[in-house]
């Protein structure tokens, strides 16, 4: 088994002390390639550095919606031509913590937060179109607005991945536009009934695996720091729900990964 963790924040300070051991555990578990999504601007240069130090580590450039107030277009664009930069994002809309974002963004209303997130999301969509690189999309409590934006630009995009897919049925319509659905540790949670229900409705040709490490650690390791080596737990659960052999899923997911990100 040789799988790619399509979304793992290996630039996090939580891996500073044992990064090589984390990679070794992952590779021993059959996880051989890693994509670090952009989140906070302060971490982008570390992500790039790791990608150049390790041949099987790649990164994306962009700004997380909760950091939209920190977005620097020139800075984000400065990474786009790096050969180890394989995508734009994670970017998108997140309405889950609008009150907190109001304080951090320094604005007076939730609508101003949404407008700022929209502007930054749109800038990154345009960068993905321009660079012909896939989009890594973060959606939380903002499915309809996100869907409307993505449908408007889908025909121009190379495609993308709905990171940590939120199991919203209406987002399944994006599969026809070469969008993929990132499935991670949430699938193993006891309260993941909606995701368990929607998983069989996702085309097999649109499934990808991720961890969102160090977050969203799968059962039975909840409460621990997440690592790419836990992906087999997600794969096991996926195999059980879909009633498909793991070998078939691995082959299909590897094809999907290559179709979206190219040869990694």
């Amino acid at each position: 088994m040789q799988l790619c963790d399509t979304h793992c924040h290996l630039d996090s300070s939580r891996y500073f002390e044992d990064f090589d051991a984390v990679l070794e555990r992952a590779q021993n578990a059959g996880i051989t390639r890693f994509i670090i999504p952009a989140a906070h601007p302060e971490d982008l240069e570390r992500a790039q550095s790791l990608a150049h130090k390790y041949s099987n580590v790649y990164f994306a450039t962009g700004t997380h919606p909760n950091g939209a107030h920190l977005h620097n277009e020139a800075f984000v664009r400065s990474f786009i031509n790096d050969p180890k930069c394989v995508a734009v994002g994670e970017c998108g809309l997140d309405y889950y913590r609008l009150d907190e974002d109001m304080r951090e963004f320094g604005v007076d209303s939730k609508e101003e937060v949404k407008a700022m997130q929209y502007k930054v999301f749109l800038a990154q969509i345009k960068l993905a179109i321009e660079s012909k690189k896939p989009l890594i999309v973060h959606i939380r409590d903002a499915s309809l607005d996100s869907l409307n934006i993505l449908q408007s630009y889908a025909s121009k995009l190379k495609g993308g991945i709905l990171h940590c897919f939120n199991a919203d049925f209406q987002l399944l319509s994006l599969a026809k536009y070469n969008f993929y659905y990132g499935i991670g540790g949430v699938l193993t949670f006891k309260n993941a009934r909606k995701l368990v229900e929607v998983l069989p409705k996702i085309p097999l040709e649109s499934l990808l695996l991720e961890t969102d490490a160090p977050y969203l650690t799968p059962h039975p390791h909840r409460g621990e720091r997440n690592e790419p080596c836990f992906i087999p737990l997600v794969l096991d659960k996926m195999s059980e729900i879909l009633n498909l052999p793991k070998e078939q899923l691995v082959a299909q997911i590897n094809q999907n990964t290559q179709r979206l990100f190219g040869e990694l």
Side-chain angles (χ1 to χ4, degrees):
M1 181 173 73
Q2 294 189 349
L3 284 164
C4 177
D5 186 343
T6 61
H7 198 108
C8 47
H9 297 277
L10 296 179
D11 51 351
S12 167
S13 60
R14 296 177 67 180
Y15 300 111
F16 281 4
E17 294 184 1
D18 63 343
F19 187 88
D20 287 322
V22 169
L23 284 196
E24 183 177 359
R25 283 191 289 273
Q27 291 177 109
N28 288 340
I31 316 306
T32 59
R33 290 149 294 151
F34 313 87
I35 297 174
I36 304 174
H40 197 286
E42 289 183 0
D43 299 326
L44 246 177
E45 289 178 344
R46 175 167 172 78
Q48 181 186 45
S49 176
L50 290 169
H52 281 273
K53 183 176 180 180
Y54 299 89
S55 62
N56 56 349
V57 175
Y58 302 83
F59 77 105
T61 185
T63 305
H64 190 286
N66 293 140
H69 60 304
L70 302 173
H71 181 68
N72 181 319
E73 182 72 10
F75 182 69
V76 167
R77 283 178 168 271
S78 70
F79 296 90
I80 196 67
N81 293 320
D82 188 311
K84 296 301 291 284
C85 178
V86 297
V88 175
E90 65 184 285
C91 57
L93 302 177
D94 189 325
Y95 298 165
Y96 178 72
R97 38 167 271 182
L98 291 174
D99 288 325
E100 186 176 341
D101 282 342
M102 281 172 56
R103 294 190 293 272
E104 290 188 11
F105 287 24
V107 297
D108 298 322
S109 71
K110 294 178 181 179
E111 291 308 312
E112 288 178 274
V113 172
K114 290 181 179 182
M116 198 177 296
Q117 288 190 2
Y118 176 89
K119 179 181 178 181
V120 172
F121 187 22
L122 191 58
Q124 291 175 88
I125 290 173
K126 291 179 178 178
L127 178 58
I129 293 170
E130 176 187 321
S131 62
K132 296 183 171 65
K133 293 187 177 181
L135 197 68
I136 299 174
V137 183
H138 172 109
I139 300 172
R140 192 172 189 188
D141 290 0
S143 290
L144 184 57
D145 284 353
S146 301
L147 179 62
N148 289 337
I149 294 169
L150 291 171
Q151 284 181 329
S152 297
Y153 291 92
S155 63
K156 299 178 182 179
L157 282 161
K158 179 185 176 182
I161 176 170
L162 303 186
H163 146 63
C164 193
F165 178 50
N166 65 7
D168 196 321
F169 281 87
Q170 61 188 337
L171 295 174
L172 293 178
S173 63
L174 291 170
K176 64 185 176 185
Y177 297 113
N178 200 38
F179 272 82
Y180 296 75
Y181 299 82
I183 308 298
V186 172
L187 187 65
T188 71
F189 295 179
K190 291 180 180 179
N191 63 351
R193 290 183 297 275
K194 189 177 178 184
L195 183 55
V196 169
E197 179 185 355
V198 78
L199 183 69
K201 301 182 186 304
I202 301 173
L204 290 178
E205 298 79 13
S206 302
L207 285 173
L208 292 176
L209 284 168
E210 63 171 60
T211 57
D212 201 21
Y215 316 107
L216 299 177
T217 313
H219 177 80
H221 296 279
R222 293 193 70 178
E224 301 175 25
R225 178 189 68 178
N226 201 3
E227 295 186 17
C229 68
F230 292 144
I231 272 187
L233 296 170
V234 182
L235 180 66
D236 287 346
K237 189 67 176 179
M238 186 181 289
S239 173
E240 174 191 326
I241 294 167
L242 298 178
N243 194 27
L244 290 173
K246 285 187 287 186
E247 296 76 14
Q248 180 181 345
L249 284 173
V250 167
Q252 182 65 63
I253 289 169
N254 276 331
Q255 286 181 28
N256 300 348
T257 304
Q258 184 173 354
R259 198 180 309 118
L260 182 61
F261 292 108
E263 192 70 52
L264 298 179

